[in-house]
Every structure is written in C-alpha cells, then in structure tokens.
Amino acid sequence: MANLIIKPASASDDLKLQDGAGADIVTVDTNNVLFGKGIQETKGTSTNSTNAITINLATGNYFEIDLQNNNATVTSWTFSNMAANNTVSAWIIKFTQGSTARALTYPAAVRWAGGTDHVMSTTDNAVDIVSMFTFNNGTDIYANIVGKGFA
C-alpha cells in the first residue's frame, strides 16, 4: 500500500481541510492539529458475556458495557489492537450495572490512580465511567475513575 503525502511548500505553511463554505475543519501546522468543528466518534466495538469483556481499540476509544449481560464477576479482559510501544492508546468505558449487581476484577496490568481499584456501584442501573491509557502496548494500563453512581 502506498502513502499519500501532502507537504506544505515551507515549514511556516499550514495544511488545511475546509468544508464547502470555506470554514477550517482541520488545520495541521508544525506542532499541532487543530479541529475547527469539534470531534465526533462512533462508539467502539466491545463484547461481554459470562465473566469476560473484550474491547477492540481499532474500532474507537469509547465503549459501553452493560453488566446485565454478565452472569458472574468479570474476571477475564481482552484489549485488542493497542498501539505499539511508545505510542499511546487511550479509551473510556461506561459501565451500566444490571438489576443483579455484578463486580469487576481488573487485570494485574491495570494501575489505578491512588492505588485503589475501581469498585463498581451496585445500585440497579448505576453508571460508572473509567478512563484508561497505555503507552507500552498494555504492559501497564493506567486507569482513573471518571465518575461513579450516575443515575
């Protein structure tokens, strides 16, 4: 496969993508990528059943997991298509608790801010949101609780 390379005439020139009205959508300069109209992304693909969750990072960086589909504590995790070493993969997971409370046991590679693992809220239909990132292809996954018990 060939690469398409578009190179500005000089280092001080910007590369711009514009909409039909001439408004900048994306501007690339020497050190930045600027988005003029915001960023939208499709929800990524994930599966969960019994005690397992699979998250495919090639499909997005936002995932929704409904724990009602799990019949046990989640103990098996698969994160596929992470970026190579020295490149960051980052994602957010929205968990929704079912009518029967399900727990989450994270893999040893997940390191939580403050050293305390996320414990899923147990209220029926509670929503917890966590963010994760890795820069070494999942050897270490750094995680933070964005919020708990959203109603």
Side-chain angles (χ1 to χ4, degrees):
M1 177 163 58
N3 293 324
L4 171 62
I5 299 172
I6 301 172
K7 198 187 270 189
S10 72
S12 63
D13 291 340
D14 294 339
L15 171 65
K16 295 182 179 246
L17 300 175
Q18 297 181 332
D19 65 13
D24 292 348
I25 298 171
V26 177
T27 301
V28 180
D29 67 24
T30 304
N31 296 310
N32 299 295
V33 177
L34 308 169
F35 297 93
K37 297 217 173 185
I39 299 172
Q40 296 181 0
E41 185 172 341
T42 303
K43 179 175 59 170
T45 302
S46 60
T47 58
N48 66 313
S49 60
T50 313
N51 67 341
I53 291 177
T54 300
I55 293 177
N56 183 352
L57 295 170
T59 65
N61 67 3
Y62 171 78
F63 302 90
E64 293 181 350
I65 303 291
D66 184 348
L67 295 174
Q68 186 64 36
N69 296 332
N70 298 77
N71 295 321
T73 295
V74 174
T75 57
S76 175
W77 294 78
T78 302
F79 299 102
S80 61
N81 295 304
M82 290 185 185
N85 281 337
N86 300 315
T87 304
V88 175
S89 289
W91 61 99
I92 294 173
I93 307 171
K94 173 189 166 197
F95 294 102
T96 302
Q97 187 64 271
S99 57
T100 301
R102 308 286 186 218
L104 301 167
T105 301
Y106 291 90
V110 177
R111 303 185 187 321
W112 290 93
T116 303
D117 286 8
H118 164 243
V119 176
M120 184 66 201
S121 298
T122 57
T123 306
D124 190 17
N125 296 317
V127 171
D128 287 6
I129 300 173
V130 300
S131 65
M132 298 180 168
F133 79 93
T134 182
F135 57 87
N136 56 14
N137 198 26
T139 300
D140 299 294
I141 299 172
Y142 297 93
N144 192 30
I145 300 167
V146 174
K148 288 186 59 140
F150 292 97

